[in-house]
Amino acid sequence: IDSYIDYSLFENSENLLTGDVTNSFIENSEVKTVSHGTEMLSILLGSIYFPKYEGIIANTSCYVLGIAAISNNSGESEILEAIKYAEKEKADICCMAFDSYIYSEKIYKAMKKSKMLFVVAAGNDGVELGKDILTYPAMYNVDNMIVVGDERVDGKISCTSNYSELYVDILAPGTDILAINGKDNVEYCSGTSCAAVITAGVCGIVASQYGLRGVALKEYICNNAEKMQNNCVYGKLTSLDKYLSKR
């Protein structure tokens, strides 16, 4: 669930489900060619316009469905509709690379009762969740959710990433991640959104290999993370090869 997605960048991708016209819950006037949603999807899929760049789930048995629900004018109702749509399409994992300072009891309940595993960005305020700031969905604290912080290439947490030994489950690579934002343009993106998307991709591949879903998938990913002290509950997302060699 993200902002507008430019599907033309992902033509012929065998891992993309385009859904139907109802998988967008934002007004056409809010559509932009370059968008956060497009960049995040490119991390998973790559693009035919940049064949040397391979997305995380490219050439796997995983599929991704982009649902546009986040914009300057969207809110609780759009996110709820997006969650319902994902469930209707039988999604197993829902990546929520966004945050809000407004608590929603309805979104909390929708996530809690869902069978999906939610992979959520911790946010980019550089502060401790629950102490310095309240942000959602990262602080809904439901069992079927992994909250992800931003790990730098040197293995340390990014100075912009939110952290917490209560609310942030793991750290994942999220700094200087290559993303596509046009047919002739790529850029390096940073933030917990990138970290959440990468984690969602790893979760998808693990789920496709081992049949894990929901809380069981969360426990497998988190319990096999590389242990670290401070900033999060479990540690750092380990390599895909290591996750696939644990069973």
Side-chain angles (χ1 to χ4, degrees):
I1 298 174
D2 214 294
S3 60
Y4 168 74
I5 294 168
D6 181 2
Y7 285 108
S8 69
L9 296 177
F10 311 107
E11 294 172 325
N12 301 322
S13 172
E14 296 180 355
N15 303 95
L16 176 67
L17 299 176
T18 56
D20 53 45
V21 294
T22 64
N23 70 326
S24 179
F25 300 96
I26 57 177
E27 298 295 331
N28 290 335
S29 61
E30 299 178 75
V31 167
K32 297 180 180 179
T33 302
V34 177
S35 75
H36 185 272
T38 300
E39 291 173 341
M40 295 304 104
L41 192 62
S42 76
I43 295 173
L44 292 172
L45 295 176
S47 173
I48 60 171
Y49 295 98
F50 299 91
K52 292 183 178 180
Y53 173 58
E54 186 173 286
I56 295 172
I57 68 166
N59 302 313
T60 71
S61 60
C62 299
Y63 295 91
V64 60
L65 172 66
I67 307 176
I70 306 302
S71 72
N72 291 334
N73 298 316
S74 64
E76 178 185 76
S77 61
E78 287 82 5
I79 295 172
L80 287 170
E81 288 299 317
I83 292 173
K84 291 178 183 177
Y85 183 80
E87 291 175 328
K88 181 175 75 72
E89 295 295 316
K90 296 179 169 41
D92 294 310
I93 299 165
C94 181
C95 184
M96 305 175 85
F98 60 86
D99 60 357
S100 169
Y101 302 122
I102 301 174
Y103 174 85
S104 167
E105 183 71 13
K106 291 182 179 179
I107 294 175
Y108 165 75
K109 289 182 177 179
M111 292 175 64
K112 185 176 182 179
K113 75 175 184 179
S114 177
K115 294 181 180 180
M116 295 189 294
L117 173 65
F118 293 90
V119 182
V120 175
N124 304 307
D125 305 285
V127 298
E128 183 175 356
L129 293 183
K131 180 179 179 181
D132 302 315
I133 198 171
L134 304 179
T135 186
Y136 307 95
M139 290 182 62
Y140 282 137
N141 204 24
V142 294
D143 292 336
N144 55 327
M145 178 174 74
I146 300 176
V147 181
V148 189
D150 174 5
E151 177 195 1
R152 301 185 319 202
V153 69
D154 62 2
K156 298 179 180 180
I157 189 170
S158 167
C159 64
T160 64
S161 176
N162 291 343
Y163 57 91
S164 169
E165 295 181 25
L166 178 62
Y167 295 106
V168 178
D169 294 300
I170 61 174
L171 304 183
T175 300
D176 295 333
I177 306 299
L178 191 67
I180 297 163
N181 63 9
K183 292 182 179 180
D184 57 357
N185 192 32
V186 296
E187 67 178 14
Y188 287 96
C189 298
S190 297
T192 58
S193 289
C194 298
V197 169
I198 288 173
T199 302
V202 171
C203 287
I205 296 172
V206 170
S208 70
Q209 292 292 313
Y210 298 142
L212 298 172
R213 299 292 186 272
V215 176
L217 178 56
K218 172 187 177 174
E219 290 176 346
Y220 182 80
I221 294 295
C222 292
N223 289 335
N224 288 293
E226 179 183 340
K227 305 305 179 185
M228 66 176 294
Q229 294 182 339
N230 304 322
N231 300 318
C232 64
V233 179
Y234 295 96
K236 298 184 290 186
L237 188 75
T238 192
S239 69
L240 181 59
D241 287 343
K242 288 183 179 179
Y243 277 121
L244 297 180
S245 65
K246 295 289 185 179
R247 290 168 67 97

